[in-house]
Amino acid sequence: MCQGIIDRPGASRIARELLDLRESGIPDSAFDARYEDIHAGIESLLVGAAGEDKGGRIHAGRSRNDEVSTCIRFRLRQEILRLLGLVVELRGCLLQIARDHTGTVMPGFTHLQHAQPTTLAHHLLAYEQALSRDSERLWGALERTDRCPLGAAAFAGTGYPIDREYTAGLLGFSGLLTNTMDAVSSRDFATETLAALAILAGTISRLCEELILWSSPLVRFVELDDMYCSTSSIMPQKKNPDVAELMRGRAGTVAGALSAVLMIMKALPQSYNRDLQELTPHLWRGVRSSSESLHLLPGMLSTARFDTARMREEAGRGLTTATDLADLLVRRYNLPFRTAHSIVGRAARAGEITLEGLDTASRELVGTSLSGTGLTPEEIREALDPAGSIAARSLPGGPAPETTAGEIRAREQALGSEQESIGARGRGVETAIARLIAEAERLAG
Amino acid sequence: MCQGIIDRPGASRIARELLDLRESGIPDSAFDARYEDIHAGIESLLVGAAGEDKGGRIHAGRSRNDEVSTCIRFRLRQEILRLLGLVVELRGCLLQIARDHTGTVMPGFTHLQHAQPTTLAHHLLAYEQALSRDSERLWGALERTDRCPLGAAAFAGTGYPIDREYTAGLLGFSGLLTNTMDAVSSRDFATETLAALAILAGTISRLCEELILWSSPLVRFVELDDMYCSTSSIMPQKKNPDVAELMRGRAGTVAGALSAVLMIMKALPQSYNRDLQELTPHLWRGVRSSSESLHLLPGMLSTARFDTARMREEAGRGLTTATDLADLLVRRYNLPFRTAHSIVGRAARAGEITLEGLDTASRELVGTSLSGTGLTPEEIREALDPAGSIAARSLPGGPAPETTAGEIRAREQALGSEQESIGARGRGVETAIARLIAEAERLAG
Amino acid sequence: MCQGIIDRPGASRIARELLDLRESGIPDSAFDARYEDIHAGIESLLVGAAGEDKGGRIHAGRSRNDEVSTCIRFRLRQEILRLLGLVVELRGCLLQIARDHTGTVMPGFTHLQHAQPTTLAHHLLAYEQALSRDSERLWGALERTDRCPLGAAAFAGTGYPIDREYTAGLLGFSGLLTNTMDAVSSRDFATETLAALAILAGTISRLCEELILWSSPLVRFVELDDMYCSTSSIMPQKKNPDVAELMRGRAGTVAGALSAVLMIMKALPQSYNRDLQELTPHLWRGVRSSSESLHLLPGMLSTARFDTARMREEAGRGLTTATDLADLLVRRYNLPFRTAHSIVGRAARAGEITLEGLDTASRELVGTSLSGTGLTPEEIREALDPAGSIAARSLPGGPAPETTAGEIRAREQALGSEQESIGARGRGVETAIARLIAEAERLAG
Amino acid sequence: MCQGIIDRPGASRIARELLDLRESGIPDSAFDARYEDIHAGIESLLVGAAGEDKGGRIHAGRSRNDEVSTCIRFRLRQEILRLLGLVVELRGCLLQIARDHTGTVMPGFTHLQHAQPTTLAHHLLAYEQALSRDSERLWGALERTDRCPLGAAAFAGTGYPIDREYTAGLLGFSGLLTNTMDAVSSRDFATETLAALAILAGTISRLCEELILWSSPLVRFVELDDMYCSTSSIMPQKKNPDVAELMRGRAGTVAGALSAVLMIMKALPQSYNRDLQELTPHLWRGVRSSSESLHLLPGMLSTARFDTARMREEAGRGLTTATDLADLLVRRYNLPFRTAHSIVGRAARAGEITLEGLDTASRELVGTSLSGTGLTPEEIREALDPAGSIAARSLPGGPAPETTAGEIRAREQALGSEQESIGARGRGVETAIARLIAEAERLAG
């Protein structure tokens, strides 16, 4: 591992000084504006402490260009792992709430119109599934972030006999960013991370839109905890879902950061250009903004009180089960799909669907009576019952209670093993860093 | 496989009609504006041909919502596979050119300033490596596109006993999009694809920026073929790199499509909303725009004539190898890195670096003479020689000819197996479709 | 006016041919792909008809670069005038509806929570006012679009003694785009137009969001006409506000076009670059998309049926007038603002506010009784009455019926004179074109 | 002016406390997190100092909603005025440099290819003209920012008899934002400002791109001062134009802020929603980023050293004046434009254009000799001379020295009167504020 670039006493001294800095913290002076960046500030500290002869050697085989790229990747890796953990936590929270609501009947909407009954569990599982793809994208971004540019120097690689695999390993990277010009000039790992976060922020904005809608006195499906609302001293029942609104707005914040970064990278010639420095704050803003929402959501969801009675009440509104009745006619009379629908549609014009209405509609439309053929008012009532409609939709991914219950168990298992992976990756990094410190201490003597 | 939803004669008749349509092509009448979409148009054809009793059954267990999502995913899967093939082709083209230029010395730039010598091969490999990550992202997008929403119906799942795994398999999908609400309301697969394409368009814009720059009479590193240029009747040497400029501009086109889609999705409540229809054209525009650039680039690159003499000439300009000389001083005199740099920097002020200049600088800066210590003018000349500088940078990913040659071989192998995977995935889809047709023919009798 | 650039017979012949083309329409052959653009196609027609000696002179003093910029500006001017007319029409429609609803009480929302009562007129006037600023921005964009680049040629100006003021006048332009390099290389007029349209699309998206919300069975403030909805054959009361949803989505479409254009223009060196061609379709897409929404909105609004009873009903919900009662206490007892609010807030906890409740709260909070001091139950009822609350807010811009009625009259007048200006500007262009034709006919002999 | 809302002693006390705060500065405690915002913090200070009975009255007739909108507009007005001043300064700087370079011949480029000669003055005037439109747009944004929402309260207007015109006047606003719902819920003034700044950032990115290009050793048209560059200790001639690169990147930063804001506003229902708070930081970031660039540019431009010899040298390259020679043939022999171009184009193939070459080409192409018809080698040389070509382009906006000199004088005059207007507007605000303070002091007694 010893490449002989810096002699033993020099290396030993540098290691000792760096370990001391790690212990005591980097002093403010190293961040002084006269240094181009913190790397130059630290080098200056080393030179001050150990003399130029020793301290001046720390920059051997390096350049600001590969250092910057390495540092951003090092920190972003940690941030992505943290974000992955938070998304898993949010998904776990959705599953937990869903578990209590596999039987909670609610209206499902298309175009914000009551369309068919479903359950709260089914609705929340839609978000869990969307978030699981957000997780997948973050894993992809991590994959491309976790590669080490060190050794690329300014862009042409260093002439010193650096062992790139070794240094990458010490920093816990999964592999090399091989080509040294690409290593300093590309930032697609940052753009990809922001793209994943922008899509995630979009998922969150949809969930928050619904929480805002559901909190409205016009809907009253949910009551968010005061901690996530601003209240009015004079209108005690008014609870403004401020936190959900801020999270909805953040979809714009993260997408704006992505937009900025795509534009900054446009048409930059090789290799390093200072424009890249303008890019970095957008990355951290996107990360921070996502992180804030993810921190708040599990608490906001788990303290929310769902008004299942209101949901049930709305589920029965508007003949949302008429389709089920039509399907019954299809099965019972072997009617074509469209015909059955026409009969039910015509019968529904009266507001309530009765056997007589169906019979009349059938005679008018296809010339046959339904009354004598065994369909009972009881069967009609059953077909129109939201709970029955839901129970019938037991195909994979459907809202039937036993289906969603099974689905929840499967997702919880998946979530468990994803949590495992996140933990393992995090521990891998920690182990590498511990080894780095140990080697430095061994070197420092 | 027979679920008994449509009786045998009905299913047989529908299959026959659909196979006929496939043979003869869908008539224009099915696209008439009076149908909500092409699915309704085809259903109307079936009803016309086979009667409502039979034709009217085709919609059983379906809704426009899951049909639309299935169709977009079906086509996008194909498009992504095609795009993957094109990126692989472009990368192959870069490798092929690089193979001829591992020894072509050129200046490497930072901030558009000559920084250090490198080779054309090394420069092109930077793009190949960036494009390989673009490929990786497209694979990720394919992963999340290639899941089947069919059976989700309007959003609550159908009550018919559909076998979702079976229909997904017939359409060649890799798996299900399980939750039926998520299945019709999410479009993150489209956003992710556009994000991958926007980053790819950014990579292309950088490559094109360099080709435009290099084509300029101010630089003259490359001459693009007339096929990719507009020329002036009166200024015969003027060759405007129009095609490269259009591709550079497309970075904006694709990023704009991504921006549009992120904004359209923002804060949409569950489940289906018509806004989703406004989204689709942006997806296809992004795909088409990317596809156009990818089709043109390999031809443009492989017909480009690189002026290696001009490159060589510029590589020697501006003491870009001064760093190498400093490194020699570090090794020879065990000087600290910064000290050696200062000596060379001071000596360089004269414009040309000589032994005398170094000696003077050394005496002024650190009080020791270099003249009597064995450094020869020959060694200085060698250290300052671009080709020598390049040869010394043989670390992984560096520009040394044998390093890049090895890298090219490794990348070509990787490219070969990626091409395999693309082909296999494409054949998998074809096989599924063939089986679908065979089953339909069996059913049609 | 005769600059002697083309001799009289040549000019006469060109004029005659162009007039003929104008009469008979440009043949498809002129759009053939072998011509770089339509200008080259027309020139080729002229050369074919009149010989190169005459037809070949039409290009004298021109270049594709200034022609393209002139044509885009010529057409965009027309489009902006048309859009301005449509925005005025929409605003007129809002005012007309508002006129009928100055007394229609409805709840005003903050955070989608009932906050204070207002009227439908007041609500609609908020949109009219926002749209009036959208109009202002379009006028600004028109101002900067309506300048003539002709004569700039490739970018350095033509050497022919062209009279730029004269040709600008013939094309109806308000002035010159003086500097010839800027004239061919800038597209900020397009970006600015798209920015104005993106903000307008945002205004429209908010209006449509409310129409969608109000159409929901959860709210039922409005019923949109079937022409703007898709309906369900089986759920007759379900009316999906598809058109409003598409318009909401268009906010993304126009903002995406803006994003694309900003990115395409980034960092382009002077003067003309082909990237500019990639920009133009984004401009037209933004214009077309805006135009479609503006065409549909007045019809959709004027056929909408507002359920004023539902609005009235919701206006009384949730003590939204508690603030008014607090203000009454402030005035009657000279209480500080915060104190009065606290008293009312505490009294409101019972659900309904009574004199007793207020008295108790006052004694608990500030130690004085309200019961003996003249406040009557009648006064409390009046203060809590939504209509009374609205009537009290008669400050400029407030919801009081006579205030909004006055406001409507003022806006209608302003709208009338804006319509005048649009008409005048349009007629100015027509006059210029008529004069151009007349001059051409005079020249053609 | 006295509306009797707060009694004289209360008003007097509040005024005195506020004046004291103004004098002593707002203490940190007022920014404490327990207050919803600074307005609440100040109110709490007042209550602490003057008692709830007096201090608690400051909020009478107000709401957080109109306060926030007023404050943002108040500050943004100031920022826009400052930005306008900076743009004027930058334009003045461009004019000043242009004045010294009306005779500085340089190549003009299209597609980064030498196209025709022009002058540095002409080139810089292109930017001045583009920036003048950026100024116009900022004036438009100012127009729509400088309207006062105060009195709108939560959104329904206050019931207190506030004199909106009076309070608007005290704060120096030009007018009212009349409709009270629009007044608190709209942020288009912010979006418009960011749009104007994004287009301005685009203009700046183009200028910086050229400075970066021109600084490259490949071009050497300009040398930027060290203050705006980073240098290399070892490569003394290497001057990285870091500041110009950062400014180029800022085009992405400002466009990203615009993107964020457009998306945040999308589809927000009336009236106030907390999403609006997420918007504000994007506005300030866009303002700050623009401001930083505008502060640096005049210094960077006025200290830049233009290498006029290099420019002159490149101006003669590549037969960029061939068009002028063709025009000479048109005039001299009354040849059609296209014919003359063909003759010159053919003659140019030899690299240098001679009388013999033209003669041969003419005989081959149109069958007539040019040699006997009076064209002299001297005339050819003159026609091909860059300076002559430039002098001939004296049409308005063209590069001829006397034309640009006239243009510069005209623009300087325009700039002077714009500076006047900015000053006047600024003084108007100051006068209003001074009057506000005076009234407060009068009231405080």
Side-chain angles (χ1 to χ4, degrees), chain B residues 312-324:
Chain B
R312 183 76 185 73
E313 177 188 349
E314 286 291 337
R317 176 144 37 148
L319 295 174
T320 57
T321 48
T323 306
D324 298 86

Side-chain angles (χ1 to χ4, degrees), chain C residues 59-332:
Chain C
H59 203 66
R62 292 202 208 162
S63 150
R64 209 184 155 271
N65 297 353
D66 62 345
E67 279 175 344
V68 165
S69 173
T70 305
C71 289
I72 297 175
R73 287 165 177 274
F74 189 90
R75 181 176 149 198
L76 183 58
R77 178 180 57 189
Q78 200 170 351
E79 298 282 2
I80 295 178
L81 281 168
R82 213 160 48 77
L83 289 164
L84 273 168
L86 289 167
V87 177
V88 161
E89 200 185 325
L90 172 56
R91 288 162 56 197
C93 169
L94 286 165
L95 292 178
Q96 192 149 15
I97 302 172
R99 209 160 30 182
D100 295 338
H101 291 289
T102 56
T104 301
V105 176
M106 69 175 289
F109 297 87
T110 57
H111 314 271
L112 220 56
Q113 304 276 321
H114 300 58
Q116 283 179 305
T118 185
T119 69
L120 181 54
H122 187 242
H123 198 118
L124 295 175
L125 282 171
Y127 284 108
E128 195 281 330
Q129 184 161 305
L131 287 164
S132 75
R133 292 188 301 272
D134 288 311
S135 291
E136 289 173 30
R137 276 183 284 271
L138 282 172
W139 280 107
L142 178 64
E143 192 61 36
R144 279 168 285 284
T145 297
D146 193 17
R147 298 178 190 172
C148 188
L150 216 60
F155 75 86
T158 177
Y160 289 96
I162 274 190
D163 181 343
R164 290 190 72 191
E165 295 284 358
Y166 174 68
T167 52
L170 283 178
L171 295 169
F173 281 103
S174 297
L176 289 190
L177 203 62
T178 316
N179 180 281
T180 56
M181 186 179 282
D182 172 64
V184 302
S185 73
S186 63
R187 289 292 185 273
D188 55 278
F189 68 100
T191 321
E192 178 181 2
T193 302
L194 281 172
L197 293 178
I199 301 176
L200 167 62
T203 313
I204 292 175
S205 79
R206 300 183 73 172
L207 176 55
C208 287
E209 171 78 7
E210 294 209 298
L211 291 172
I212 294 163
L213 226 54
W214 294 2
S215 298
S216 172
L218 296 164
V219 184
R220 284 181 296 124
F221 282 0
V222 77
E223 189 184 345
L224 297 178
D225 193 81
D226 282 8
M227 210 192 307
Y228 303 97
C229 296
S230 69
T231 50
S232 160
S233 62
I234 200 165
M235 291 166 63
Q237 81 296 356
K238 190 173 197 289
K239 294 178 71 170
N240 303 324
D242 291 61
V243 173
E245 290 174 308
L246 287 170
M247 287 184 202
R248 182 174 60 182
R250 276 184 201 136
T253 297
V254 186
L258 170 61
S259 230
V261 160
L262 280 166
M263 189 154 160
I264 290 172
M265 291 308 296
K266 182 210 158 193
L268 288 187
Q270 296 287 350
S271 59
Y272 184 84
N273 300 284
R274 194 63 176 264
D275 315 56
L276 299 187
Q277 185 177 299
E278 182 76 13
L279 179 152
T280 316
H282 297 291
L283 174 62
W284 302 137
R285 190 172 61 253
V287 165
R288 194 175 53 243
S289 183
S290 308
S291 186
E292 279 167 9
S293 291
L294 290 169
H295 264 114
L296 287 166
L297 268 168
M300 191 162 97
L301 286 167
S302 58
T303 57
R305 283 173 297 280
F306 292 95
D307 188 335
T308 56
R310 270 291 296 147
M311 287 180 163
R312 183 77 183 72
E313 176 188 350
E314 286 291 337
R317 175 139 41 144
L319 295 175
T320 57
T321 47
T323 306
D324 298 86
L325 180 57
D327 289 346
L328 174 63
L329 298 188
V330 168
R331 284 194 300 273
R332 181 68 57 92

Side-chain angles (χ1 to χ4, degrees), chain D residues 4 66 76 122 130 156 165 183 216 233 243 259-260 271 279 323 332 360 364 404 419 427 444-445:
Chain D
D66 62 344
L76 183 57
H122 187 242
E165 294 285 357
S216 172
S233 62
V243 172
S259 230
S271 59
L279 179 153
T323 306
R332 180 68 59 92
T360 308
E364 286 171 16
T404 47
Q419 218 151 7
R427 283 189 302 277

Side-chain angles (χ1 to χ4, degrees), chain B residues 36 230 242 245-246 248-253 255-256 259-260 263-264 268 273-275 277-278 282 285 289, chain C residues 36 230 242 245-246 248-253 255-256 259-260 263-264 268 272-275 277-278 282 285 289:
Chain B
E36 200 182 353
S230 68
D242 291 61
E245 290 174 308
L246 287 170
R248 181 174 61 182
R250 275 184 201 136
T253 297
S259 230
M263 188 154 161
I264 289 171
L268 288 187
N273 300 284
R274 194 62 176 267
D275 315 56
Q277 185 177 298
E278 181 76 13
H282 297 292
R285 188 171 63 253
S289 182
Chain C
E36 200 183 353
S230 69
D242 291 61
E245 290 174 308
L246 287 170
R248 182 174 60 182
R250 276 184 201 136
T253 297
S259 230
M263 189 154 160
I264 290 172
L268 288 187
Y272 184 84
N273 300 284
R274 194 63 176 264
D275 315 56
Q277 185 177 299
E278 182 76 13
H282 297 291
R285 190 172 61 253
S289 183

Side-chain angles (χ1 to χ4, degrees), chain B residues 101-285:
Chain B
H101 292 288
T102 55
T104 302
V105 176
M106 68 174 289
F109 297 87
T110 57
H111 314 271
L112 220 57
Q113 305 276 321
H114 299 59
Q116 282 179 305
T118 184
T119 69
L120 181 54
H122 187 243
H123 198 118
L124 295 175
L125 282 171
Y127 283 108
E128 196 280 330
Q129 183 161 303
L131 287 165
S132 75
R133 291 188 302 271
D134 288 310
S135 291
E136 289 173 30
R137 276 182 285 270
L138 282 172
W139 280 106
L142 177 64
E143 192 61 37
R144 279 168 285 283
T145 297
D146 193 17
R147 298 176 189 173
C148 188
L150 215 60
F155 75 87
T158 176
Y160 290 96
I162 276 190
D163 181 343
R164 291 191 71 191
E165 294 284 358
Y166 174 68
T167 52
L170 284 178
L171 296 169
F173 281 102
S174 297
L176 289 190
L177 203 63
T178 316
N179 180 281
T180 56
M181 187 179 283
D182 172 64
V184 301
S185 74
S186 64
R187 290 290 184 275
D188 55 278
F189 68 99
T191 321
E192 178 181 3
T193 303
L194 281 173
L197 293 178
I199 301 177
L200 167 63
T203 312
I204 292 175
S205 79
R206 301 182 73 171
L207 176 55
C208 286
E209 171 79 7
E210 296 209 298
L211 290 172
I212 294 163
L213 226 54
W214 293 3
S215 297
S216 171
L218 296 163
V219 184
R220 283 182 297 122
F221 281 1
V222 78
E223 189 184 343
L224 298 177
D225 193 81
D226 282 7
M227 210 192 306
Y228 303 97
C229 296
S230 68
T231 50
S232 160
S233 62
I234 200 164
M235 292 166 64
Q237 81 296 353
K238 190 173 196 291
K239 292 178 71 170
N240 303 323
D242 291 61
V243 172
E245 290 174 308
L246 287 170
M247 288 184 202
R248 181 174 61 182
R250 275 184 201 136
T253 297
V254 186
L258 171 61
S259 230
V261 160
L262 280 166
M263 188 154 161
I264 289 171
M265 291 308 296
K266 182 211 159 193
L268 288 187
Q270 296 287 349
S271 60
Y272 184 83
N273 300 284
R274 194 62 176 267
D275 315 56
L276 299 187
Q277 185 177 298
E278 181 76 13
L279 179 152
T280 316
H282 297 292
L283 173 62
W284 302 137
R285 188 171 63 253

